[in-house]
């Protein structure tokens, strides 16, 4: 999954019909900032939905908020620094006696009470498995002015069942107004991770791997479809390791896709993030056979060097990854693949780095997310390997790799020039939103969407097209974007011919 930062958009409060749901006697103002991966974005959506049901209103102005939540990430040190610096600013800002400050999510689970040492003005700390307690904990903290902590057990804090039970999958009813785009939604299909890559905090911050029931997932997708969602993205740290037995039947991700594919209204189904070793042909074949499933796979390789992969305990060799890529292009020739790389992992020599570059040249990923190694206390890697690559070298490798990947992305995107692609329209592009922010805009506006193989595409059109599939002729490209115009139909020799779709 990929990292981002967002504070959720402020929404007008929806009318409350059920007065019993309002446990607040006056409107509270909530500010929430979210860092980290899609799992955190979804968690924030659900936390906000819960609080809005209790009468909270969102604000994007932290100074006017009486409830301030930070949904945090620990995957790299930088993400934690950012939150501590935000917390620091609140400490020295104007004090509000009634304000409750909460640190929730992965950093809360990882650092627990030690957050109070660095930020004594924090009131509540809530881990990833206790998010449903947030509304009550806020009320208690406001009333008693006492601190509250709710976190899951550590991975060695009990039997697997006990530790798993302390990480609750948090999936209450969905709140359509809280989504950045009304036609797209995330759906959690599993929580936790059992892979224990040596550099990674996620198995600690998200707990043991647990797959959700296919029936529950199907119900949730039906609710989303009724709310107007056209594209669902199924989420899991290793989403293709999904496994759940229900009514005596074992469901893998391929079975789950078959189960939700018929749901009316859903036009496209994606899933992130895949783990290379668990990429079965059953999944690739179902992707080939089910038209709504995107032909896109995010399968992080992390390094192109076997020695580094072994240190990371990724559980595969470069050749095995190659074999998986071969199966993908055999079964799904038009499928795009993206990856993650860590540069500057302990022991990464110039030669190992060159092997990663070679792998990028060979696999021609659609794009790669590149991260500088960040030593994480509590991980095996932190104990075993000194962080021996200087920051300047990490930075240089990062830039070189980014340059190579961008060149490849642009070359491969250029292959689409002159072709017609099917785009699920998401809404206004960032440029249009900016222009609208400056005043009224006339005529068609720039829209953004993605092709079936997940390429971002911009073109002019009516914003009403959001949620529909448009056919776009590609005229120009950058490393990240296809640029084109909408094609409806074409008159050839006096008859109407629909243009052939050459690329999905
Ligand atoms: N299961 C997800 C992991 C989410 S973390 C996945 O495999 O994609 C997302 C990415 O962050 C990882 O793929 C890895 O490339 C990077 N990452 C994780 N721990 C890191 C660390 N300690 N330093 C630098 N990058 C890290
Ligand atoms: Fe972290 Fe590895 Fe699990 Fe991904 S698979 S969350 S990188 S431990
Ligand atoms: Fe995601 Fe960061 Fe947690 S990447 S799972 S929010 S540590």
């Amino acid at each position: 999954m990929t990292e981002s930062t967002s504070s959720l958009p402020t929404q007008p409060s929806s009318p409350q019909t059920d007065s019993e749901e309002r446990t607040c006697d006056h409107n509270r103002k909530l500010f929430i900032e979210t860092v980290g991966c899609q799992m955190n974005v979804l968690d924030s959506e659900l936390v906000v939905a819960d609080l809005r049901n209790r009468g909270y209103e969102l604000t994007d102005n932290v100074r006017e908020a009486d409830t301030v939540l930070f949904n945090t990430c620990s995957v790299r040190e930088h993400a934690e620094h950012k939150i501590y610096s935000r917390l620091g600013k609140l400490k020295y800002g104007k004090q509000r006696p009634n304000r409750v400050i909460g640190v929730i999510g992965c950093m809360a689970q990882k650092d627990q009470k030690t957050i109070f040492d660095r930020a004594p003005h924090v009131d509540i700390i809530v881990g990833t498995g206790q998010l449903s307690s947030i509304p009550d904990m806020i009320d208690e903290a406001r009333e008693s002015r006492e601190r509250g902590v709710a976190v899951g057990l550590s991975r060695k804090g009990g039997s697997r069942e006990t530790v798993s039970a302390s990480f609750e999958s948090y999936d209450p009813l969905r709140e359509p107004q809280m989504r950045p785009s009304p036609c797209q939604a995330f759906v959690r299909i599993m929580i936790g991770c059992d892979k224990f890559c040596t550099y990674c905090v996620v198995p600690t911050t998200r707990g043991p791997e647990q797959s959700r029931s296919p029936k529950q997932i199907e119900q949730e997708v039906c609710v989303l479809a009724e709310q107007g969602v056209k594209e669902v993205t199924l989420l899991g740290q290793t989403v293709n390791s999904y496994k759940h037995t229900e009514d005596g039947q074992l469901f893998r991700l391929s079975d789950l896709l078959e189960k939700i594919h018929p749901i009316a209204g859903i036009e496209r189904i994606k899933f992130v993030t895949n783990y290379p070793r668990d990429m079965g042909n059953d999944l690739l074949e179902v992707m080939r056979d089910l038209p709504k499933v995107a032909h896109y796979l995010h399968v992080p390789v992390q390094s192109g060097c076997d020695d580094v992969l072994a240190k990371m305990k990724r559980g595969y060799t470069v050749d095995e990854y190659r074999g998986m890529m071969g199966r993908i292009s055999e079964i799904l020739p038009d499928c795009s693949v993206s990856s993650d790389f860590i540069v500057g992992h302990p022991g990464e020599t110039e030669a190992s780095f060159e092997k990663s570059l070679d792998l990028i040249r060979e696999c021609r990923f659609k794009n790669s997310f590149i991260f500088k190694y960040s030593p994480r206390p509590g991980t095996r890697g932190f104990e075993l390997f000194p962080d021996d690559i200087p920051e300047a070298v990490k930075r240089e490798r990062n830039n070189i790799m980014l340059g190579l990947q961008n060149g490849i992305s642009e070359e491969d995107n250029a292959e689409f020039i002159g072709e017609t692609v099917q785009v699920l329209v998401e809404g206004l592009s960032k440029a249009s939103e900016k222009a609208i922010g400056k005043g009224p805009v006339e005529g068609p506006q720039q829209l953004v969407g993605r092709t079936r193989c997940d390429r971002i595409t911009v073109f002019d059109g009516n914003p009403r097209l959001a949620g529909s599939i448009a056919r776009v002729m590609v005229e120009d490209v950058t490393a990240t974007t296809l640029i084109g115009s909408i094609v409806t139909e074409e008159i050839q020799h006096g008859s109407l011919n629909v243009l052939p779709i050459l690329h999905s």
Side-chain angles (χ1 to χ4, degrees):
M1 275 181 260
T2 49
E3 235 187 309
S4 65
T5 307
S6 68
S7 49
L8 284 164
T10 310
Q11 304 288 340
S13 53
S14 56
Q16 292 281 338
T17 44
D18 181 354
S19 59
E20 279 181 13
E21 277 192 326
R22 292 187 81 118
T23 56
C24 249
D25 44 10
H26 65 280
N27 274 353
R28 295 274 177 213
K29 290 237 195 283
L30 165 70
F31 173 91
I32 183 163
E33 180 168 341
T34 306
V35 294
C37 64
Q38 291 96 325
M39 204 60 103
N40 262 15
V41 174
L42 174 57
D43 283 342
S44 287
E45 177 192 320
L46 301 174
V47 167
V48 170
D50 208 351
L51 289 171
R52 273 167 50 83
N53 270 340
R54 300 176 189 230
Y56 283 75
E57 260 178 41
L58 266 184
T59 173
D60 52 12
N61 179 357
V62 69
R63 274 179 303 233
E64 72 168 21
D66 53 25
T67 306
V68 178
L69 296 179
F70 293 99
N71 194 3
T72 58
C73 172
S74 286
V75 81
R76 283 168 287 277
E77 198 180 9
H78 173 73
E80 294 186 343
H81 277 165
K82 192 167 175 172
I83 296 300
Y84 279 117
S85 126
R86 292 278 195 283
L87 286 170
K89 287 205 177 106
L90 284 180
K91 185 174 171 189
Y92 299 112
K94 196 169 151 232
Q95 296 303 309
R96 295 173 57 118
N98 231 357
R99 185 169 65 186
V100 172
I101 300 177
V103 175
I104 67 174
C106 287
M107 196 174 98
Q109 178 61 40
K110 176 176 155 283
D111 289 355
Q112 307 192 358
K113 280 185 184 157
T114 61
I115 293 173
F116 292 137
D117 301 338
R118 282 178 74 176
H121 52 306
V122 166
D123 299 289
I124 59 167
I125 292 171
V126 188
T128 54
Q130 283 68 33
L131 299 179
S132 61
S133 323
I134 288 175
D136 289 345
M137 287 180 69
I138 294 173
D139 286 349
E140 275 164 35
R142 203 176 329 265
E143 246 166 57
S144 68
R145 296 314 314 171
E146 276 176 21
R147 290 161 164 178
V149 179
V151 289
L153 292 171
S154 80
R155 292 295 299 249
K156 291 186 182 145
S159 68
R160 184 176 173 90
E161 287 67 40
T162 320
V163 177
S164 295
S166 75
F167 285 85
E168 174 200 22
S169 183
Y170 177 58
D171 302 283
L173 280 183
R174 305 295 301 256
E175 167 62 64
Q177 293 196 56
M178 290 321 307
R179 278 174 226 131
S181 151
C183 64
Q184 296 172 299
F186 293 129
V187 177
R188 195 189 328 267
I189 67 165
M190 55 196 295
I191 58 170
C193 180
D194 284 347
K195 305 296 186 203
F196 287 98
C197 305
T198 52
Y199 52 80
C200 185
V201 291
V202 173
T204 309
T205 61
R206 292 275 169 180
E209 185 182 305
Q210 301 181 70
S211 295
R212 286 181 71 208
S213 129
K215 269 192 202 144
Q216 271 179 24
I217 295 167
E218 185 187 28
Q219 273 166 12
E220 193 171 328
V221 176
C222 287
V223 168
L224 291 169
E226 277 161 23
Q227 292 175 351
V229 167
K230 304 289 176 203
E231 178 189 272
V232 287
T233 303
L234 311 181
L235 295 186
Q237 296 300 341
T238 57
V239 74
N240 57 338
S241 319
Y242 176 86
K243 235 190 263 157
H244 192 100
T245 303
E246 196 164 72
D247 302 333
Q249 191 196 339
L250 171 71
F251 281 82
R252 298 161 300 172
L253 178 57
S254 53
D255 306 306
L256 185 66
L257 288 173
E258 280 180 330
K259 192 171 173 70
I260 62 174
H261 192 265
I263 296 173
I266 299 297
E267 304 279 352
R268 199 171 272 170
I269 305 171
K270 299 202 272 192
F271 48 91
V272 283
T273 296
N274 293 280
Y275 186 65
R277 214 178 53 195
D278 293 340
M279 187 66 74
N281 281 0
D282 60 308
L283 179 59
L284 301 176
E285 282 157 10
V286 157
M287 289 173 74
R288 177 194 61 201
D289 298 339
L290 298 180
K292 293 180 184 175
V293 182
H295 281 187
Y296 164 62
L297 288 164
H298 182 58
V299 205
V301 63
Q302 312 297 357
S303 169
C305 171
D306 282 340
D307 295 345
V308 176
L309 287 177
K311 282 200 167 121
M312 292 175 165
K313 280 215 183 318
R314 283 290 287 178
Y316 53 83
T317 61
V318 178
D319 250 351
E320 284 165 343
Y321 189 88
R322 252 185 213 117
M324 177 205 73
M325 288 296 285
R327 285 187 292 115
I328 294 174
S329 48
E330 210 172 281
I331 300 172
L332 291 166
D334 65 347
C335 184
S336 65
V337 177
S338 62
S339 186
D340 291 353
F341 281 88
I342 296 178
V343 293
H345 187 275
E348 185 192 62
T349 60
E350 272 304 318
S352 14
F353 175 62
E354 284 297 330
K355 286 181 188 166
S356 292
L357 298 181
D358 285 344
L359 194 68
I360 290 182
R361 291 186 191 101
E362 184 185 331
C363 295
R364 298 190 73 85
F365 297 111
K366 174 177 77 82
N367 61 291
S368 292
F369 298 94
I370 302 163
F371 306 104
K372 291 179 286 175
Y373 175 73
S374 171
R376 307 285 45 229
T379 61
R380 287 286 285 149
F382 187 81
E383 286 163 27
L384 292 174
F385 316 119
D387 179 21
D388 57 0
I389 310 290
E391 180 59 28
V393 175
K394 287 181 185 169
R395 201 177 318 124
E396 194 192 0
R397 289 182 184 170
N398 190 330
N399 292 340
I400 293 172
M401 189 175 271
L402 205 58
L404 173 68
Q405 176 62 62
N406 282 344
I408 288 173
S409 301
E410 189 164 347
E411 273 170 30
D412 286 358
N413 280 350
E415 300 268 307
F416 284 82
I417 294 178
E419 308 238 347
T420 302
V421 290
Q422 274 185 307
V423 178
L424 178 65
V425 186
E426 291 167 15
L428 292 174
S429 69
K430 283 208 179 100
S432 287
E433 274 178 356
K434 232 181 183 173
I436 287 171
K438 288 186 184 147
V441 177
E442 287 187 7
Q445 287 156 42
Q446 193 184 60
L447 307 181
V448 65
R450 283 180 195 247
T451 65
R452 192 179 179 195
C453 61
D454 204 53
R455 285 183 160 83
I456 299 169
T457 309
V458 295
F459 50 95
D460 283 351
N462 190 315
R464 272 202 315 264
L465 288 173
S468 67
I469 302 248
R471 295 154 52 74
V472 175
M473 163 73 88
V474 180
E475 288 148 1
D476 199 0
V477 297
T478 67
T480 53
T481 313
L482 309 182
I483 303 155
S485 26
I486 288 200
V487 180
T488 41
E489 51 204 13
E490 195 183 56
I491 301 195
Q492 282 179 6
H493 310 301
S495 63
L496 277 179
N497 283 320
V498 175
L499 279 175
I501 296 164
L502 299 171
H503 267 290
S504 56

